[in-house]
Amino acid sequence: MSLEKAWVQDLLSWYEKEHRALPWRQNRDPYRIWISEVMLQQTKVETVIPYYERFMSKFPTLDDLAAAPEDEVLKAWEGLGYYSRARHLHAAVKEVSARYEGRVPDAYEAFRALPGVGDYTAGAVLSIGYDVPVPAVDGNVLRVYARYVGMNDNVLSPKVQKRVREALYLVMPEGRSSDFNQAIMELGALVCKPKSPRCDDCPLHFTCVAARLQMQHELPVRTKSVSAKVEHLAVLILRSEDKWLVRKRPTRGLLANLWELPYVVMENPQIDGNILKALHQFSNQLGASTKDFVWVGEYKHVFSHLTWELKVYSSEAEPFEVMMPYRWIDEKDRQTMAFGQVFNKILSAIEKW
DNA sequence: AAGACGTGGGA
DNA sequence: TTCCCAAGTCT
C-alpha cells in the first residue's frame, strides 16, 4: 500500500470520509450495483433514488427481474426516460438468469457483451461489485482527470477516452478498484464540479495541474465536432477525343488555382431533370460536339473529403467554342487537378464503361 | 461517426 | 418563458 502514489492515498482517504450514503452503497450485490449504474446513465442521483428504491422492492433479485414481464419492467421505469435502457437491462438479466444461473458474470468480456452494457457500465459494475481492476470512465472521471493532469485534449473524442481508461488502469491501487473508481466519480460530483469547482476543498488540490495553473474553468475541453457540412455537386464530365474539360479554381481559398471538373452545387441531394438540363445546356455553350461524350457525375462533398458516383451520360451536345478559364487537358496535365485521386478514379471508371 | 434516445435543471 | 444540453449505449 505504501507503494501507491500519495495522491491515490489522499483520494481514497477523502472518499472514506466524504462519500454519500446512497441506496446502492448499502451492500456490494452486483445486481444492485448494475441496476443503479444503468439508472444513473444520463440521469442525476436525486432523480434516480426514488426509482431505485421502488425498483429494488419490486424486483429484489436478478431472477425476480428476469421472471417479470417486460411491461412491468417498463412500468417501473416510467418517467425515467431512455426506455431502451430498461429493455436492454431486462434482456441482459434474462440472459444472465438463463446462462449464468442468475449470477452476474465477473469476467469482463462476458459482462461487457450483454445488451446495454458499454465500457463505462462494465467497468463500474465489475469494479464496484467484484473489485475487478478495470476503470469506469464517465463524464465525472473525464473532467477530474483532464483537470488533474492538465490535459487539454477533447474529452468527447473516443480516442481520448480510451487513453484516459488506459492511464487510469495503470494507477489503480491493487485491490481497491471499487473505492478508487467511486472516489474519482464522487470527487467529480461533489468537489470537482463542472461549473463551480471547490478547489479549496479538494484532496488533490496541491498536485492538480489545473488548480496550479488556474485552468479549472477551462478544462475539460469538450468541443463538439461541427456536424460535417455536406454538399452535393453535379459534375460535368466532358471528353473530346483524348482530352477532358476542366476549369481553374479561384485564386484564393480551398485548393486555390488548381484545376477541377466543372460542377454546380445542387439544392437537393440528387441530380434531377433541371440539373441535367442545365448541365446539358452548359456543355452546349462549351461547344461539345455530337461525337463528344458528356457524363454527369455526382460529388458528395463532406468537409474536404470527396466521394463520387457516376450517374448518367449523354452524347447529344452541340458544337461550341471553348472559353477561359475552361481548358481541355490530357493525361499529362493531371497533376494540376484538385481532388486528383477522385478524378483518376472517374477516368478509370469511364474507361471501363 | 454522428444522431437518436427522455427528462429535468440551469441560463 | 423558452432554449439548451447533459456524457452512456446503440446504430
Side-chain angles (χ1 to χ4, degrees):
Chain A
M1 198 59 54
S2 57
L3 291 175
E4 307 300 347
K5 298 235 186 290
W7 69 266
V8 174
Q9 280 308 312
D10 294 340
L11 176 67
L12 259 16
S13 307
W14 173 86
Y15 178 69
E16 272 165 38
K17 206 165 88 192
E18 302 289 340
H19 73 82
R20 294 165 290 181
L22 298 169
W24 43 90
R25 287 183 174 154
Q26 286 168 8
N27 60 45
R28 299 185 53 180
D29 176 0
Y31 165 68
R32 291 174 54 91
I33 306 295
W34 186 4
I35 303 300
S36 76
E37 289 302 340
V38 175
M39 286 190 172
L40 286 163
Q41 291 168 13
Q42 321 303 286
T43 313
K44 293 194 160 55
V45 167
E46 309 80 68
T47 308
V48 165
I49 290 175
Y51 282 92
Y52 182 80
E53 306 275 27
R54 265 180 274 129
F55 199 91
M56 293 316 302
S57 46
K58 200 155 193 241
F59 312 108
T61 72
L62 188 145
D63 287 322
D64 292 326
L65 181 57
E70 185 176 275
D71 287 350
E72 265 184 55
V73 180
L74 285 170
K75 184 70 186 164
W77 207 271
E78 190 177 62
L80 249 191
Y82 281 126
Y83 299 95
S84 63
R85 288 186 298 177
R87 281 188 289 268
H88 286 146
L89 175 63
H90 189 43
V93 157
K94 287 208 283 195
E95 198 176 326
V96 170
S97 181
R99 287 178 51 181
Y100 305 107
E101 297 172 335
R103 184 179 186 272
V104 177
D106 58 5
Y108 185 85
E109 296 304 329
F111 187 65
R112 172 67 176 78
L114 294 168
V117 178
D119 287 328
Y120 167 75
T121 304
V125 172
L126 296 192
S127 67
I128 299 172
Y130 292 122
D131 252 321
V132 174
V134 51
V137 176
D138 71 348
N140 289 308
V141 176
L142 290 170
R143 182 172 63 255
V144 171
Y145 181 89
R147 284 174 176 167
Y148 186 66
V149 306
M151 180 186 75
N152 58 7
D153 297 298
N154 178 17
V155 299
L156 260 27
S157 148
K159 283 175 71 176
V160 171
Q161 297 183 189
K162 184 160 181 276
R163 286 220 314 271
V164 174
R165 282 200 299 276
E166 289 165 354
L168 285 173
Y169 176 75
L170 294 178
V171 297
M172 293 220 315
E174 212 180 316
R176 303 291 306 273
S177 60
S178 170
D179 288 342
F180 180 72
N181 285 162
Q182 292 192 80
I184 303 179
M185 291 191 272
E186 196 77 340
L187 191 69
L190 300 181
V191 176
C192 196
K193 298 184 292 181
K195 289 283 161 54
S196 37
R198 300 163 45 208
C199 293
D200 292 346
D201 302 324
C202 180
L204 307 184
H205 178 71
F206 293 110
T207 47
C208 175
V209 174
R212 176 72 58 90
L213 268 29
Q214 286 301 295
M215 291 284 292
Q216 64 269 203
H217 299 290
E218 276 61 56
L219 297 176
V221 174
R222 313 166 51 83
T223 49
K224 280 228 206 316
S225 65
V226 188
S227 59
K229 188 187 161 199
V230 179
E231 272 183 340
H232 295 272
L233 315 173
V235 185
L236 186 64
I237 306 166
L238 193 50
R239 187 179 72 177
S240 178
E241 308 288 329
D242 284 344
K243 291 178 181 291
W244 304 88
L245 184 76
V246 297
R247 72 177 172 193
K248 198 163 195 178
R249 289 180 60 86
T251 51
R252 306 178 66 92
L254 179 71
L255 301 166
N257 284 336
L258 300 188
W259 295 83
E260 70 187 0
L261 294 173
Y263 66 78
V264 294
V265 179
M266 295 183 287
E267 302 272 329
N268 303 311
Q270 286 209 326
I271 292 175
D272 60 18
N274 288 334
I275 294 284
L276 278 179
K277 213 168 138 190
L279 287 176
H280 192 229
Q281 198 178 346
F282 183 51
S283 69
N284 282 345
Q285 286 168 12
L286 291 170
S289 75
T290 47
K291 64 181 178 7
D292 298 327
F293 286 96
V294 178
W295 287 267
V296 177
E298 189 179 305
Y299 278 179
K300 189 178 171 194
H301 190 192
V302 181
F303 269 29
S304 55
H305 182 71
L306 208 56
T307 59
W308 66 278
E309 206 177 321
L310 205 53
K311 286 291 192 186
V312 282
Y313 75 97
S314 78
S315 57
E316 301 172 20
E318 300 294 324
F320 73 104
E321 203 170 312
V322 179
M323 298 163 59
M324 292 300 288
Y326 292 91
R327 167 183 165 194
W328 295 90
I329 63 159
D330 55 25
E331 295 292 311
K332 60 182 178 298
D333 288 319
R334 272 203 240 156
Q335 71 279 5
T336 63
M337 294 294 292
F339 312 119
Q341 313 266 41
V342 180
F343 184 62
N344 288 340
K345 282 188 198 166
I346 292 174
L347 296 200
S348 70
I350 290 177
E351 299 304 337
K352 278 184 267 175
W353 190 284

